[in-house]
Structure formats: structure tokens, C-alpha cells
Amino acid sequence: MNSSHLTWLSKQIARNILRTWLEQKAKLSGAAFSCRVLKGTSSYNLAINSDMSVSCNCQDFDGAGRLGDLSINSLTEILSGEKAQYFRKTLAEGKLPLLNCTRCVELEMVASDQALEASKIIAVPHKNIMIENTILCGCNCLSCARPQVMRNRKKLALSLDDIGIIAEEIKRHGISSLAYFNLGDPFLSSSIYDELALIKKVNPHLSIYTSTNGLYLDSPAKFEAALLTDRIGISIDGIDSAMVRKYQRNGDFERSFGNMCRLVSYRNKQSQNKTEIMWNYILFNWNDKPKNIIQAQQLARQAGIDTLSLCHTKSPLWGTSWRWYTNKFYREIRKGQSSQFLAIPIV
């Protein structure tokens, strides 16, 4: 059994334990559950996947959270469909329909009567949705169940016709922002510029955020695509390739960091462009020493990016950054914040 299988198995065991605990806690307190995605108040998780399937969460590796198919039904029809209604009913009964519910930010534990009322609400999230334009990714991250998700996508990438359908749905529901990424790297699509340009043409006031490991952000055409967004996060989990590859196993610090620097330079030559460029740095117990973060800040200034974003994670559990909780360095830069994310402006 390889490390990916061990990571996946440990996550499943932990989530089963947590699901039992949460359900018992709800039962003992006379509470139940509701989901922000299913009642239309989510600001992140509703995901349109590379095969036009629609999932209620951004980590739907096995397809268990699949609500419908946007090439067949509209978002309104999907969110009022049989699967979504089953999820609402189950949550209102104090049960969690998916293991992913245990770690999802959209889950709410509320009084039973409130859960029942929430289960009657059918609405498309208007704040934000996600688009996975491609499932392809070459990074092979430690916690990514890539073989499983590849088996559960009928198509590897959205077509421009698919993008056109999605763009009209965004317009119809007045969705205000878009996360243009999910389980693949969006810049592995050769048509990413055309995709984003089409979405912006139909929705000129839409705010778009994308994320990439930076390996494929390697040409003027890709830079032009990136600069169609309001914000781009480049995920580099360390300050050298040896450190990066402990999680991003096919990662390459020099390549990703170099591409990030070139993107900044390209943007800065266009005086009117205001795209925010972020370095997303996931904290693990092998890359979280204060000296690592201080060096990352120095490199960020060298690159000329806008923000260094530190993200604390528990996946894999054995890689958890305990310094995030215990080290004075993190307490000081967080200034009392308990958020999973910490954005450090680079000045």
C-alpha cells in the first residue's frame, strides 16, 4: 500500500469517526444539520466539474456528492432534483449523507426546527460557484486521490460550448464571483484564455479567482489568461524543490517560482491591469519553521507579488503544522486570528 492509499484510508477512518461523533452530538442536543450550498447561501463550494456534472462540494473525488448534469438540466433543476432533496431530508433528520460533510465549511448544526425550514429552501448560490475547466494535473499531491477522480469524470475538460452554457447560467442567477479551479490545474487547458474571455463577455462584472501550481503558467498566452482574472493564487508549498516535493510530489520550485516572477513582470508592463498575484503556501510540519516563512517573505518581495497566503491544513493528518498552534511566531503574525488562512501583504 503506497502513501496515497494510506493517506486516503486514514482520512476515511477519521471522517467516519467524526461523522458518528457529529451525529451523536446533534442527537443529544436536539439539533440537526443544514447545508449552505443546498439553501443557496454558499460562497465557495458548488462545483461544476470537467464533465458538466455538478457537485455539492469541492472535494468530490468519488462522485458521491454529484447532484446532476448541467448539460442536461439547469442549475435550478439540479438543485431541486431528487439527489439534492435527499441530502436536505437526511441533514434535517440529523444525519450526514456524505463523509465529506464532516469537513465541509458549508455544514451547519442548527436547531431541529431550523434544519427543517432550511430543508425547504431551494436556491442557486448567488455569491460564488466553482468551475473545474479540466481535471488534468501533473503535480501528484500527497492528499489527491487522482486515480479515483479520473475514473469518476466522463470528460477530462470542458469544451467552449460547455463554457457558454455555464456563462449563461452565471448571468441568469446573478452570480457575483467565480472560483475558476477545482481538482485539476486550469492552465493545463490550451483554451483557457478563450474560456475566460467568453465568461467575461457574458458576465463583464463577474469577479474571477483562479489557482494553479504554476508549472504550466509558462507562456504569454497563459499570462494573458491569468490577467483576465481579478486574483490568481500560485501554490508553492516550500522554499526549494526538496521541500515542495514532500507534498507536491512532481513539483518544481524553480519552475513554478520562475513562472510566478515572469507573470508579475508581464502584469507590471500593463499599467492598467490590477490582477492580484498571490503565493499560496500550505503549511506542513516540514516547511513551517519561522525561518522558512521569513525566507518565503523575502522571496515574495523579490518576486514582486502582492500577497503571501499561509494556509494551515490537516491533510495528511501526520503532516499537520503544530507550530501553527504553539509557536510564538505564528501567534504574533496572526494577531489573534484563528482562520485557516493568513494573508500577509508584501510591501
Side-chain angles (χ1 to χ4, degrees):
M1 185 177 290
N2 61 33
S3 58
S4 291
H5 287 119
L6 284 171
T7 299
W8 178 83
L9 182 61
S10 65
K11 286 165 69 174
Q12 296 301 98
I13 292 171
R15 290 177 189 180
N16 265 304
I17 293 169
L18 184 55
R19 175 159 70 176
T20 300
W21 179 79
L22 286 169
E23 289 177 350
Q24 286 300 312
K25 181 181 178 181
K27 182 178 180 180
L28 291 171
S29 60
F33 303 102
S34 70
C35 170
R36 294 186 184 94
V37 169
L38 297 177
K39 63 181 183 180
T41 60
S42 165
S43 59
Y44 189 70
N45 265 294
L46 186 71
I48 301 172
N49 303 315
S50 64
D51 57 0
M52 290 290 274
S53 61
V54 177
S55 295
C56 64
N57 69 88
C58 64
Q59 295 287 308
D60 193 21
F61 291 106
D62 60 2
R66 190 173 295 160
L67 302 175
D69 187 329
L70 194 57
S71 65
I72 299 172
N73 300 110
S74 68
L75 284 176
T76 299
E77 291 168 335
I78 289 169
L79 284 162
S80 59
E82 184 177 341
K83 188 76 168 283
Q85 291 290 58
Y86 166 74
F87 284 175
R88 291 185 182 93
K89 179 176 180 292
T90 303
L91 290 164
E93 291 172 349
K95 302 292 184 182
L96 299 180
L98 303 173
L99 285 180
N100 277 352
C101 292
T102 60
R103 65 183 297 273
C104 186
V105 296
E106 311 296 357
L107 182 71
E108 298 177 302
M109 185 182 293
V110 297
S112 294
D113 59 339
Q114 290 179 307
L116 183 61
E117 287 303 309
S119 71
K120 300 174 184 177
I121 299 172
I122 298 173
V124 175
H126 65 276
K127 295 179 182 178
N128 184 86
I129 62 170
M130 304 186 78
I131 295 179
E132 176 189 88
N133 66 326
T134 179
I135 193 57
L136 297 175
C137 184
C139 215
N140 193 25
C141 293
L142 194 60
S143 294
C144 181
R146 180 113 333 241
Q148 186 181 30
V149 75
M150 292 290 281
R151 289 193 298 268
N152 283 285
R153 294 286 192 270
K154 296 176 182 177
K155 289 199 312 177
L156 299 180
L158 296 170
S159 68
L160 283 177
D161 286 342
D162 294 333
I163 293 292
I165 292 171
I166 296 168
E168 291 297 335
E169 285 284 320
I170 291 171
K171 180 180 180 180
R172 181 176 301 115
H173 296 287
I175 295 168
S176 58
S177 67
L178 173 65
Y180 202 73
F181 63 95
N182 190 16
L183 299 180
D185 191 293
F187 288 88
L188 266 171
S189 169
S190 60
S191 61
I192 184 170
Y193 179 86
D194 294 329
E195 296 161 15
L196 290 169
L198 175 55
I199 291 170
K200 290 291 283 187
K201 181 180 179 181
V202 178
N203 301 276
H205 303 297
L206 182 70
S207 174
I208 302 177
Y209 167 55
T210 192
S211 181
T212 173
N213 56 48
L215 293 173
Y216 319 106
L217 188 59
D218 55 4
S219 70
K222 297 288 180 70
F223 295 161
E224 288 288 347
L227 297 184
L228 286 175
T229 71
D230 296 272
R231 182 161 45 106
I232 177 170
I234 300 170
S235 299
I236 311 174
D237 302 328
I239 53 174
D240 57 47
S241 286
M243 193 178 291
V244 163
R245 287 172 183 157
K246 289 187 176 183
Y247 183 74
Q248 296 171 300
R249 288 175 292 193
N250 292 340
D252 184 327
F253 175 84
E254 287 75 19
R255 182 175 166 186
S256 293
F257 184 78
N259 287 340
M260 182 168 68
C261 292
R262 285 184 281 276
L263 175 63
V264 172
S265 177
Y266 194 91
R267 178 199 64 180
N268 291 348
K269 291 176 182 176
Q270 303 181 29
S271 59
Q272 299 303 311
N273 190 277
K274 297 181 180 179
T275 299
E276 179 185 2
I277 300 174
M278 301 176 63
W279 175 356
N280 290 337
Y281 188 115
I282 299 179
L283 294 169
F284 302 100
N285 54 34
W286 56 78
N287 70 359
D288 65 345
K289 293 179 180 178
K291 65 179 182 180
N292 301 146
I293 305 307
I294 291 169
Q295 188 170 347
Q297 288 176 288
Q298 293 170 345
L299 288 166
R301 292 189 188 97
Q302 174 188 322
I305 63 165
D306 303 295
T307 307
L308 173 64
S309 177
L310 304 181
C311 174
H312 171 255
T313 182
K314 297 177 183 177
S315 179
L317 188 61
W318 48 264
T320 300
S321 167
W322 299 110
R323 290 184 181 91
W324 173 263
Y325 299 104
T326 62
N327 193 284
K328 181 181 178 182
F329 172 81
Y330 288 104
R331 289 199 300 271
E332 288 182 352
I333 62 174
R334 284 206 313 263
K335 295 180 180 178
Q337 297 179 49
S338 59
S339 172
Q340 180 186 5
F341 301 93
L342 177 62
I344 304 174
I346 301 301
V347 294

